[in-house]
Amino acid sequence: MRGATQVLSDCPHCRVESALVELLDPSERIGVALEGRCRLCGYTTELGEVVRFGHPFVDEAEVIEALTRWAAEEAERDVHVFAVANFNGRDPAAIARGVLAGERVETGFDVIAWLFPAMQGGRAGDDEVAPGLRVGGGPGGEVLPGGPGGTPLAGRYGAAPRPRQMEPEPVKAPVRAPVADPRDIGRALASVMLADGQIRPAEKRFLDAALQRLGAPPLPDEDLRVWRPNELGPVADPVAVLEAMRRLALCDHEADGSELRVLAEYARAWNVPLKKTAQHDTSAMAELGRAFRRLLVR
């Protein structure tokens, strides 16, 4: 197991998602943060005990001031830019109102990217707008400046061409719900298994058995990496897959913080409360299960 790992958690005081930065080291304490600090309200813990309560915000100005300090720590001078980029489009005033109302304030901080900063994210899109249109039909054609929608602008090339006669739009087929890819079960399990950077024999045996039990195909070598939830499609039974992921994280009797946070991200993406997957473990697994629930089930 690797050493200490920083993970993002929701702050129990200001209730801002992923605002609490915790330092976990399972070799020191299983499932208990050595230290933690909220980047907004300053709520601080050591060895699971509160050593400083979060600031009791009383008005919007105080929240925005704290948000401005947070933005500066992230090298962003404009608090509005920081807020819109990281709080799902909400401006500082809207964030402040949510905090003062005691609401759970959602953010866009990518926990998996925080854990694995070198990891490439998402699947490439194809929605880039071409800067201009090429005339001549070949690679040597001339590029004309593009107007709205890519229409060539009038200029030194003469008047803009007449618009084409509008044709009736084809009838669109009904949108079907995405079909579950059974390979995504193995990819989700692999994400937990590889979160600590190692593959242990017990974990690999558990993964193979879990795939067989869940009716999923074996995991090919090219899929052995950490996958973000948005890279995968839906799974047929997310509760069963999350339970398998939870047991995979604990099957070697070591509760790594990175494994648990990856699991938490999948639970959030699949909209499954983690308590639904919490089974009553026995023997040595019981304390690990309780540590897991203390860490992740708020």
Side-chain angles (χ1 to χ4, degrees), residues 2-280:
R2 65 185 183 184
T5 303
Q6 282 189 326
V7 300
L8 300 182
S9 300
D10 301 347
C11 178
H13 178 77
C14 65
R15 303 200 66 200
V16 174
E17 179 183 275
S18 298
L20 186 67
V21 180
E22 295 183 308
L23 183 67
L24 295 175
D25 189 346
S27 66
E28 296 288 335
R29 285 288 189 93
I30 294 177
V32 177
L34 302 183
E35 59 186 42
R37 184 183 75 87
C38 176
R39 295 175 287 174
L40 182 71
C41 70
Y43 173 88
T44 306
T45 65
E46 290 182 6
L47 296 177
E49 300 293 332
V50 179
V51 296
R52 178 186 174 187
F53 289 101
H55 182 77
F57 297 117
V58 296
D59 56 36
E60 291 185 16
E62 284 189 337
V63 180
I64 294 174
E65 182 182 358
L67 194 63
T68 302
R69 288 196 298 269
W70 185 357
E73 292 175 1
E74 301 293 333
E76 176 54 67
R77 296 180 179 179
D78 190 328
V79 66
H80 183 85
V81 171
F82 176 77
V84 171
N86 294 295
F87 287 78
N88 300 332
R90 301 175 77 176
D91 62 21
I95 296 166
R97 289 193 295 271
V99 170
L100 293 173
E103 300 173 356
R104 182 174 183 272
V105 180
E106 295 185 352
T107 70
F109 294 107
D110 189 333
V111 172
I112 293 181
W114 176 274
L115 292 169
F116 311 102
M119 176 180 160
Q120 297 295 322
R123 288 172 177 162
D126 57 359
D127 56 353
E128 293 184 358
V129 179
L133 298 179
R134 187 169 296 281
V135 178
E142 187 175 10
V143 176
L144 302 185
T151 303
L153 299 174
R156 65 186 180 90
Y157 297 98
R162 295 179 181 178
R164 295 179 180 178
Q165 185 176 359
M166 297 296 292
E167 297 180 358
E169 293 186 2
V171 178
K172 295 182 179 180
V175 178
R176 297 182 179 179
V179 178
D181 185 345
R183 295 175 299 177
D184 284 343
I185 295 175
R187 291 164 179 164
L189 288 166
S191 299
V192 170
M193 181 176 67
L194 289 167
D196 64 354
Q198 301 182 47
I199 301 178
R200 298 176 180 80
E203 292 175 328
K204 187 62 170 65
R205 289 193 298 269
F206 182 94
L207 183 144
D208 293 340
L211 291 179
Q212 186 174 8
R213 185 173 64 254
L214 294 169
L219 187 72
D221 290 343
E222 58 265 26
D223 284 354
L224 281 171
R225 68 174 178 88
V226 177
W227 298 75
R228 284 190 175 102
N230 65 352
E231 292 184 279
L232 308 183
V235 292
D237 189 346
V239 173
V241 176
L242 281 165
E243 172 61 13
M245 293 168 70
R246 186 184 75 89
R247 289 186 173 275
L248 175 57
L250 300 174
C251 74
D252 59 355
H253 292 197
E254 294 180 340
D256 183 270
S258 299
E259 294 172 329
L260 301 183
R261 288 308 298 172
V262 169
L263 178 53
E265 285 304 296
Y266 271 88
R268 180 179 302 171
W270 291 344
N271 197 28
V272 176
L274 283 170
K275 61 184 179 182
K276 282 191 176 182
T277 71
Q279 304 291 327
H280 292 290

